[in-house]
């Protein structure tokens, strides 16, 4: 066991507390009683520019484990005035989390996981980004990663974790089947569990995106794409901590955005499903082309719904075509190249049309999904190597 800090785990459903940092879910509520980390609040030690390590006082990571730190976090907040105009917003900023070392926001969680594994093998099931980020962080720390991916995972993401040297099992089945197989293997071999859905420490890593947003000028809305739900829950926790520390002057409303083809969290939000006892979400289809948010049985649905509700926010659904359009708009009008799930927050802003000021979290890089990029971007103009053909193109 790594040395542990002063922390309490509190059930997000019934509030029962536990001081055992290895506990996974609530003893009273069972597997759907997702636990949350509570630590005394403390200000970040250093200013921006040194990455995620500066948030150590707010993370469940003992200082002596936290080195070396790959350059995770401190991603740019890009002003996007032309995209703001198109979306009817006074101001829009894009949090470009595709600029993390492995190309997605997941690096924030994987860094915490790889560090807390403290030399042990770490494992996860992932549609791609959690996996490639774990592979990258384990490589940086010199430890081993074991990954279970569903068949559908895009080739660039699988290639990335092969290159980083992870052991990769490609499971003939859905994400949920890959997840169950991973859980069994973790139990069997005693690996460190980097499944953010059940490991409350990892949401603390995702929280650092919200901590960084909490250091910037406040916005009326923060828009986040939602698959399992722990990203938006983590970002909300980070924003709240910065507000309680007096760093952020007012909290934003959250806009949670899902694909019509993976609407499980949205459905629960709409029906007020977070009011009763701990339970699985009502299962929904999950076949969106935005693979990173294609989740049929989201483990953190309730925390996501609670975060949106606490913030006085909204959830919306967008189509895959609207996501493709957002990929173009985000690049052409905002200068940021995001993968489909990465730009889904932008598609949601277009749908919800909230007005005022907003921050859209672009959760992953466009380089992650070349097929999606080709679909959104279209084909180039084929010409022979003759000036006449170029002239003909511009003549009409
Ligand atoms: C994982 C992921 C999300 C969604 O995060 P959840 O915690 O599953 O809701 C969104 N975008 C990208 C690029 C991701 O990798
Ligand atoms: Zn409970």
């Amino acid at each position: 066991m790594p040395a542990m800090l002063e922390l309490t785990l509190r059930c997000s459903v019934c509030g029962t507390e536990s001081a055992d940092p290895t506990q996974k879910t609530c003893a009273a509520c069972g597997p759907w009683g997702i636990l949350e980390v509570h630590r005394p609040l403390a200000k970040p030690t250093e200013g921006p520019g040194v990455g995620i390590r500066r948030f150590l006082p707010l993370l469940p990571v003992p200082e002596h484990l936290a080195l070396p730190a790959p350059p995770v976090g401190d991603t740019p907040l890009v002003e996007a005035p032309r995209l703001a105009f198109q979306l009817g917003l006074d101001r829009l900023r894009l949090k470009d989390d595709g600029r993390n070392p492995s190309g997605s926001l997941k690096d924030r969680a994987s860094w915490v996981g790889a560090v807390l594994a403290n030399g042990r093998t770490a494992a996860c099931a992932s549609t791609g980004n959690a996996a490639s980020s774990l592979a990258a962080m384990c490589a940086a720390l010199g430890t081993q990663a074991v990954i279970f991916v569903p068949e559908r995972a895009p080739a660039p993401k699988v290639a990335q974790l092969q290159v980083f040297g992870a052991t990769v099992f490609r499971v003939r089945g859905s994400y949920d089947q890959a997840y169950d197989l991973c859980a069994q293997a973790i139990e069997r071999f005693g690996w460190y569990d980097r499944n953010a859905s059940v490991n409350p420490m990892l949401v603390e890593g995702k929280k650092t995106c919200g901590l960084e947003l909490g250091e910037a000028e406040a916005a009326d809305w923060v828009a986040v794409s939602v698959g399992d739900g722990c990203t938006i829950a983590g970002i909300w926790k980070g924003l709240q901590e910065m507000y309680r520390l007096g760093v952020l002057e007012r909290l934003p409303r959250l806009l949670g955005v899902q694909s019509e083809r993976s609407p499980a969290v949205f459905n629960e939000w709409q029906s007020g499903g977070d009011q009763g006892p701990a339970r699985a979400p009502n299962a929904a289809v999950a076949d969106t082309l935005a693979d990173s948010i294609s989740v049929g049985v989201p483990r953190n649905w309730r925390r996501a719904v609670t975060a949106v509700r606490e913030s006085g926010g909204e959830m919306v659904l967008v189509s895959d075509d609207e996501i493709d359009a957002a990929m173009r708009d985000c690049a052409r009008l905002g200068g940021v190249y995001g993968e489909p799930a990465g730009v889904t927050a932008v598609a949601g802003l277009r749908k919800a049309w909230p007005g005022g000021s907003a921050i859209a979290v672009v959760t992953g890089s466009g380089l992650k999904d070349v097929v999606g990029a080709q679909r959104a971007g279209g084909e180039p103009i084929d010409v022979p190597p003759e000036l006449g053909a170029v002239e003909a193109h511009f003549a009409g």
Side-chain angles (χ1 to χ4, degrees):
M1 271 311 305
M4 275 294 166
L5 304 168
E6 181 189 345
L7 65 82
T8 310
L9 295 177
R10 187 180 304 155
C11 175
S12 58
V13 181
C14 74
T16 298
E17 293 193 348
S18 161
D20 172 8
T22 62
Q23 190 164 339
K24 280 192 177 166
T25 52
C26 173
C29 293
W32 292 96
I34 304 288
L35 299 176
E36 258 179 37
V37 174
H38 288 269
R39 279 185 36 72
L41 273 188
K43 288 207 175 183
T45 42
E46 298 165 86
V50 292
I52 196 168
R53 254 191 67 90
R54 70 197 171 87
F55 295 119
L56 276 181
L58 286 153
L59 294 174
V61 177
E63 185 123 14
H64 71 278
L65 289 180
L67 282 171
V72 176
D74 278 335
T75 55
L77 195 55
V78 182
E79 290 285 349
R82 286 184 295 138
L83 186 54
F85 181 75
Q86 194 217 42
L87 300 175
L89 295 165
D90 300 334
R91 184 184 187 190
L92 173 65
R93 284 164 288 170
L94 302 172
K95 179 67 167 167
D96 188 3
D97 248 53
R99 298 271 289 271
N100 277 299
S102 87
S104 85
L105 183 147
K106 297 288 195 293
D107 283 351
R108 299 175 181 274
S110 288
W111 178 74
V112 170
V115 167
L116 290 180
N118 193 20
R120 277 187 295 159
T121 293
C124 76
S126 165
T127 49
N129 287 337
S132 42
S133 73
L134 182 64
M137 295 302 132
C138 286
L141 300 178
T143 57
Q144 189 59 37
V146 178
I147 316 284
F148 296 79
V149 295
E151 260 173 326
R152 237 191 130 86
K157 296 183 181 178
V158 178
Q160 199 179 8
L161 44 106
Q162 292 285 122
V163 172
F164 273 119
T167 303
V168 185
F169 293 103
R170 185 160 52 201
V171 182
R172 282 190 295 276
S174 66
Y175 168 74
D176 299 300
Q177 288 170 311
Y179 180 90
D180 287 338
L181 182 58
C182 177
Q184 288 170 37
I186 286 171
E187 183 78 30
R188 165 76 176 76
F189 295 103
W191 298 325
Y192 186 82
D193 188 346
R194 185 260 176 259
N195 285 305
S197 44
V198 293
N199 182 336
M201 304 299 165
L202 301 173
V203 184
E204 298 298 296
K206 294 188 172 187
K207 178 180 85 177
T208 60
C209 182
L211 293 173
E212 289 173 19
L213 294 179
E215 293 174 326
E217 222 178 296
D220 299 327
W221 291 88
V222 169
V224 185
S225 53
V226 176
D228 178 78
C230 57
T231 299
I232 195 168
I235 287 174
W236 180 237
K237 192 162 188 270
L239 286 164
Q240 283 178 309
E241 289 182 2
M242 280 308 196
Y243 178 71
R244 279 162 49 211
L245 282 166
V247 178
L248 177 63
E249 77 212 23
R250 65 190 164 93
L251 284 167
R253 300 164 82 180
L254 293 178
L255 180 66
V257 190
Q258 286 211 291
S259 163
E260 287 170 4
R261 289 168 62 180
S262 182
V265 178
F266 175 87
N267 292 346
E268 295 290 352
W269 176 77
Q270 207 178 34
S271 63
D274 59 324
Q275 300 307 312
R279 63 165 172 85
N282 291 313
V285 292
D287 66 353
T288 171
L289 295 171
D291 64 285
S292 302
I293 50 169
S294 190
V295 185
V297 187
R299 261 75 182 176
N300 278 279
W301 67 272
R302 182 187 288 261
R303 290 182 73 186
V305 170
T306 303
V308 171
R309 197 184 306 291
E310 276 177 4
S311 76
E314 298 279 339
M315 285 197 76
V316 282
L317 294 180
V318 294
S319 70
D320 280 8
D321 283 346
E322 288 167 332
I323 292 173
D324 281 352
M327 197 167 172
R328 290 188 292 271
D329 293 342
C330 208
R332 295 175 190 181
L333 301 173
V336 171
Y337 187 35
E339 69 164 276
V343 300
T344 296
V346 172
L349 284 169
R350 183 170 209 175
K351 191 82 168 239
W353 202 258
S357 62
I359 292 171
V361 182
V362 179
T363 45
S365 163
L367 295 171
K368 288 280 192 168
D369 184 352
V370 177
V371 173
Q374 283 169 325
R375 191 179 58 238
E379 291 297 316
I381 304 152
D382 285 314
V383 290
E386 290 156 18
L387 183 60
V390 179
E391 284 172 342
H393 174 78
F394 287 111

